[in-house]
Amino acid sequence: MLRFWYVIIISLPYIIYYLAKGSYIEKNTERYSEADRYRVALHVIHVMKRNGRIRTSVTGVENLPAEGGYVLYANHQGKYDALGIMDAHKKPCTVMMDAKRSKMIIVDQFITLIDGCRIDKTDIKSQVEATRKVTKEVKKGRRYIVFPEGGYFHNRNAIKEFMPGAFKCAVRANCPIVPVLLVDSYKPFEINSLRRVKTQVHFLPAIYPEEYEGLTTDQIAKLVRNRIVDAMQQKACA
């Protein structure tokens, strides 16, 4: 958390500007396209990376579908995860996030800026509504980041089991599923150090509807997790 608060403190002038900009955009949404919002979001991420001394290497961009909406499913390690993926994903995308975590200062404004989906994991109704929202928007061409582990707690590069329910939106939208491997993504905001850190984002080959047709969400969850785990093991042996 040391780096997190360090970035907040040294970036305070920009954060004040950003909060004001986000509030203005929220009140004038008709003037800003998703691409406009995403450019602002990427600028925020770049400032955080620079001030936080964070580098992120990226592979597999060629695996991203060229057209239409899709869902990116990644292992979850910490607060930097979605930022790292977005920084690597140049086309507009957004994220499904735990409602409680999304209410933190700055995070709240950021999720509003990218028009993300907030989900209360303790409320079945909220989960159903979130799945419907993501399904509907992906069908219209939006791209979502989802963390099927459901959370993180000092798991670092260990990958927990994936929740089958997280894959309902992709199945119902009949869209490509893009597995994403994050490596060392916990380092920026979990390790109490201000030393330079490097994280990795690897976009793995997309799984198209014809490949997962007929599979249950439990089987799809295991399929996606196995691909991410295999990629993690390959990185460890490299």
Side-chain angles (χ1 to χ4, degrees), residues 3-203:
R3 192 187 311 270
F4 178 80
W5 291 114
Y6 173 78
V7 170
I8 297 298
I9 292 170
I10 67 171
S11 306
L12 192 58
Y14 181 78
I15 289 172
I16 293 173
Y17 164 78
Y18 158 67
L19 293 177
K21 180 75 171 179
S23 178
Y24 179 81
I25 291 175
E26 185 178 359
K27 294 176 182 178
N28 299 273
T29 54
E30 71 284 350
R31 298 184 184 180
Y32 293 87
S33 67
E34 183 178 24
D36 293 331
R37 288 167 168 254
Y38 200 64
R39 277 193 291 271
V40 175
L42 289 182
H43 189 50
V44 173
I45 294 171
H46 293 165
V47 169
M48 292 187 67
K49 286 180 61 182
R50 183 183 69 242
N51 291 345
R53 310 179 77 193
I54 304 166
R55 288 182 55 216
T56 299
S57 64
V58 184
T59 67
V61 174
E62 69 279 1
N63 292 322
L64 297 172
E67 302 288 339
Y70 49 84
V71 183
L72 302 114
Y73 288 96
N75 56 308
H76 209 1
Q77 299 189 358
K79 293 180 177 62
Y80 182 72
D81 295 353
L83 303 180
I85 294 172
M86 291 176 67
D87 184 55
H89 194 284
K90 301 311 177 184
K91 292 182 179 179
C93 67
T94 189
V95 64
M96 177 188 283
M97 186 175 186
D98 176 66
K100 185 177 180 180
R101 289 183 182 272
S102 75
K103 291 302 181 180
M104 295 173 60
I105 186 170
I106 300 177
V107 177
D108 187 17
Q109 289 81 4
F110 189 82
I111 295 299
T112 298
L113 174 65
I114 61 174
D115 192 20
C117 179
R118 305 171 199 257
I119 180 171
D120 183 347
K121 292 183 288 187
T122 66
D123 182 2
I124 296 297
K125 183 179 179 181
S126 172
Q127 295 174 34
V128 171
E129 290 177 349
T131 298
R132 287 176 177 170
K133 170 181 169 66
V134 174
T135 299
K136 182 179 179 180
E137 294 184 357
V138 170
K139 283 183 176 179
K140 291 182 178 180
R142 294 198 80 194
R143 308 166 189 92
Y144 263 90
I145 302 167
V146 175
F147 298 102
E149 287 169 288
Y152 58 87
F153 184 73
H154 303 304
N155 51 297
R156 300 196 169 190
N157 284 327
I159 301 173
K160 299 187 295 183
E161 294 300 318
F162 286 3
M163 298 186 298
F167 294 86
K168 289 182 179 179
C169 52
V171 172
R172 293 175 181 175
N174 196 39
C175 71
I177 289 171
V178 181
V180 183
L181 168 65
L182 300 179
V183 180
D184 295 338
S185 193
Y186 66 92
K187 288 183 176 180
F189 299 139
E190 182 171 319
I191 295 178
N192 284 320
S193 169
L194 296 179
R195 293 181 179 178
R196 295 183 185 277
V197 293
K198 182 179 179 180
T199 73
Q200 301 173 39
V201 175
H202 303 281
F203 297 112

